[in-house]
């Protein structure tokens, strides 16, 4: 391992009795609240485009509205990380949930009053997205204070379980709620109400937690300015050799995977002429794979070092995308999508656990935001490039290019020494 400066062993976490994660009251409150709010978010994820389509009959406007929620990650994630390290993380999460509850609650209110407009929906999407960025940065930065360091992989794996469970159950539950009334617009508004209430559930669980979400702040360690704080986080990320390499590898992985679903849809429709129902089944296979893997990830991290997990992940992605490039039968699309999603939780838990253990508490927000700004930003770039490449060479050739990209990731992992990355 080639890290310089701080190491996972040197990042001291306040001592407290080690107890089973399932007996950690504070973590269970945090996890249960996020499970409810994540389910609510996935409920409105289907209601949002349906509402916009019902109001405007424009798929383009529906797509732009979905993109509006993602913009804050590129615009505010770096300053948000600096603010999270200045503010009380628990209060920040509570205020963000209350803001999301109020913002989403204005949608049904405006609809009932007859004043719901597209601009209103765009504004709500941006506010909700900004609060989401601040909330998630606070949550992941606080995790090392909520659970013992030995439980970080399992805790983050459970967070991943929640995300995949929401992806699986949210759209179906949303369709059920929307179907309770004969008019789609009113059904979508009802789904918005359910989503807004889910954030209140998260607030109540946060209020019930007793643990501090950060160590005592030392004023002399606080940055003198917002830009200074951002620079300190970027500087720490750059100086840590292995962490810098992990950011580069993860950025490439996100770039390559970002347009897989779109390519699968195009391949299924244009070459294999599959029904919409079967395409939905293909995408659901990814949700099932991710959910199963999130249960296995803690065992994986207990028995293997980080390096082999990283190498195994990029090899699996290379094989899965190569399979999709030459898939002659629909069943192979299911297998390919399953493998891609099944691999992600193990990789993600390795990267996040290493980053959380390496980073001092007073830098958690800034380092997490810097890392995510690089790696998540590549998703948007990959989606844009993926659409262009699909139009030029088609889905199968594109999967071949992605497989070649992952072959490069295998070499990158080996040649940079990331295969030797060890747990602290």
């Amino acid at each position: 391992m080639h890290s310089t400066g701080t190491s996972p062993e040197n990042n001291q976490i306040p001592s407290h009795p080690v107890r089973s994660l399932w007996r950690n009251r504070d973590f269970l409150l945090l996890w249960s609240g996020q499970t409810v709010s994540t389910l609510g978010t996935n409920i409105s994820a289907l209601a949002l485009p349906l509402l916009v389509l019902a109001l405007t009959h424009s798929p383009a406007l529906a797509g732009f509205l979905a993109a509006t929620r993602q913009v804050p990650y590129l615009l505010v994630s770096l300053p948000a990380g600096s603010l999270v390290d200045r503010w009380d993380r628990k209060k920040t999460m509570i205020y963000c949930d209350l803001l999301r509850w109020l913002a989403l609650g204005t949608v049904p209110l405006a609809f009932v009053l007859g004043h719901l407009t597209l601009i209103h929906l765009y504004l709500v999407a941006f506010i909700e997205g900004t609060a989401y960025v601040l909330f998630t940065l606070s949550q992941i930065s606080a995790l090392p204070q909520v659970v013992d360091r030995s439980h970080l992989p399992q805790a983050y794996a459970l967070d991943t379980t929640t995300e995949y469970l929401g992806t699986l159950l949210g759209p179906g539950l949303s369709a059920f709620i929307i179907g309770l009334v004969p008019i789609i617009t009113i059904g979508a508004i009802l789904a918005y109400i359910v989503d807004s209430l889910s954030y209140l559930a998260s607030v109540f669980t946060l209020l019930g937690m007793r643990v501090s979400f950060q160590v005592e702040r030392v004023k002399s360690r606080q940055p003198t300015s917002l830009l200074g704080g951002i620079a300190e986080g970027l500087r720490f990320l750059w100086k840590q050799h292995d962490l810098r390499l992990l950011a580069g590898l993860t950025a490439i992985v996100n770039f390559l995977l970002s347009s897989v679903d779109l390519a699968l849809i195009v391949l299924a429709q244009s070459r294999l002429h599959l029904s919409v129902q079967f395409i939905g089944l293909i995408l659901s296979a990814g949700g099932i794979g991710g959910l199963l893997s999130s249960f296995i990830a803690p065992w994986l991290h207990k028995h293997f070092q980080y390096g082999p997990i990283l190498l195994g992940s990029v090899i699996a992605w290379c094989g899965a995308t190569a399979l999709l490039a030459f898939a002659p039968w629909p069943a192979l699309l299911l297998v390919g999508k399953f493998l891609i999603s099944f691999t992600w939780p193990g990789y993600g838990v390795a990267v996040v656990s290493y980053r959380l253990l390496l980073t001092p508490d007073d830098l958690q927000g800034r380092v997490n935001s810097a890392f995510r700004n690089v790696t998540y930003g590549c998703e948007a770039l990959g989606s844009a490039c993926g659409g262009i490449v699909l139009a030029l060479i088609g889905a199968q050739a594109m999967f071949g290019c992605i497989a070649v990209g992952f072959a490069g990731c295998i070499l990158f992992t080996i040649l940079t020494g990331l295969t030797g990355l060890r747990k602290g």
Side-chain angles (χ1 to χ4, degrees):
M1 188 169 67
H2 309 287
S3 289
T4 59
T6 306
S7 68
E9 292 85 348
N10 295 330
N11 183 21
Q12 297 296 323
I13 296 174
S15 60
H16 52 78
V18 178
R19 52 190 166 172
S20 166
L21 199 60
W22 299 110
R23 299 184 65 183
N24 185 331
R25 175 183 176 275
D26 291 305
F27 173 74
L28 292 178
L29 281 171
L30 178 65
W31 182 54
S32 60
Q34 294 327 295
T35 299
V36 174
S37 64
T38 299
L39 186 60
T41 299
N42 281 277
I43 287 174
S44 66
L46 177 60
L48 177 65
L50 288 177
L51 180 60
V52 177
L53 287 171
L55 293 175
T56 67
H57 306 288
S58 170
L61 291 175
F64 290 147
L65 186 59
T68 301
R69 188 181 179 276
Q70 303 299 325
V71 168
Y73 243 118
L74 293 175
L75 295 183
V76 304
S77 62
L78 286 176
S82 185
L83 292 172
V84 162
D85 285 337
R86 292 164 174 258
W87 296 343
D88 184 292
R89 291 170 185 159
K90 183 177 179 180
K91 289 182 179 179
T92 300
M93 293 168 69
I94 291 173
Y95 292 151
C96 285
D97 270 341
L98 288 174
L99 181 60
R100 291 193 282 184
W101 169 61
L102 289 171
L104 267 70
T106 64
V107 174
L109 180 61
F111 177 78
V112 169
L113 296 176
H115 296 297
L116 183 61
T117 65
L118 189 61
I119 294 176
H120 184 164
L121 291 175
Y122 273 88
L123 184 60
V124 167
F126 185 82
I127 292 173
E128 198 274 333
T130 302
Y132 175 81
V133 170
L134 279 164
F135 184 97
T136 54
L137 284 174
S138 299
Q139 180 190 21
I140 196 168
S141 300
L143 198 59
Q145 305 304 319
V146 179
V147 306
D148 185 81
R149 61 181 291 148
S150 63
H151 293 151
L152 277 174
Q154 184 182 4
Y156 186 72
L158 285 171
D159 279 346
T160 305
T161 301
T162 296
E163 293 176 9
Y164 280 106
L165 194 62
T167 302
L168 277 176
L169 301 180
L173 184 56
S174 180
F176 172 77
I177 294 172
I178 294 171
L180 291 176
V181 292
I183 302 174
I184 289 181
T185 306
I186 298 177
I189 293 296
L190 186 61
Y192 258 96
I193 295 174
V194 173
D195 185 14
S196 67
L197 292 176
S198 73
Y199 295 124
L200 275 186
S202 177
V203 168
F204 289 131
T205 58
L206 288 168
L207 289 172
M209 295 178 66
R210 301 167 183 164
V211 68
S212 174
F213 280 25
Q214 63 269 324
V215 297
E216 185 177 352
R217 305 287 170 82
V218 180
K219 290 185 177 181
S220 61
R221 291 289 309 273
Q222 293 297 305
T224 57
S225 67
L226 190 63
L227 288 178
I230 294 171
E232 191 175 357
L234 291 170
R235 213 164 27 241
F236 181 90
L237 177 61
W238 180 256
K239 287 182 178 180
Q240 303 303 315
H241 181 269
D242 288 332
L243 193 58
R244 185 173 74 240
L245 292 176
L246 279 178
L249 178 62
T250 306
I252 298 170
V253 167
N254 284 347
F255 178 86
L256 293 172
L257 290 179
S258 59
S259 53
V260 162
D261 283 354
L262 179 59
L264 272 172
I265 293 170
V266 172
L267 179 60
Q269 285 184 326
S270 63
R271 183 173 177 81
L272 300 178
H273 307 291
L274 301 177
S275 66
V276 174
Q277 289 75 18
F278 196 90
I279 294 173
L281 184 62
I282 293 172
L283 299 181
S284 295
I288 295 170
L291 187 61
L292 290 176
S293 180
S294 63
F295 289 114
I296 298 173
W299 176 89
L300 190 69
H301 287 267
K302 184 178 180 180
H303 292 85
F304 295 93
Q305 296 292 342
Y306 292 147
I309 294 173
L310 298 175
L311 181 61
S313 297
V314 292
I315 290 174
W317 282 321
C318 183
T321 50
L323 177 67
L324 292 172
F326 299 102
W329 306 296
L332 292 182
L333 299 187
L334 288 168
V335 174
K337 177 59 178 173
F338 178 90
L339 287 175
I340 289 172
S341 296
F342 183 82
T343 305
W344 181 257
Y347 178 91
V349 170
V351 172
V352 172
S353 298
Y354 181 79
R355 186 174 77 236
L356 291 178
L357 289 172
L358 182 71
T359 307
D361 180 75
D362 61 332
L363 280 172
Q364 285 285 356
R366 283 166 282 174
V367 173
N368 285 321
S369 66
F371 194 97
R372 289 184 170 196
N373 189 263
V374 173
T375 57
Y376 285 17
C378 283
E379 289 186 11
L381 181 61
S383 296
C385 293
I388 297 173
V389 173
L390 270 173
L392 292 175
I393 65 176
Q396 282 191 295
M398 179 173 168
F399 277 124
C401 292
I402 294 174
V404 171
F406 277 117
C409 288
I410 295 173
L411 292 176
F412 179 88
T413 305
I414 295 172
L415 295 177
T416 58
L418 281 176
T419 50
L421 198 65
R422 301 178 63 84
K423 291 178 284 189

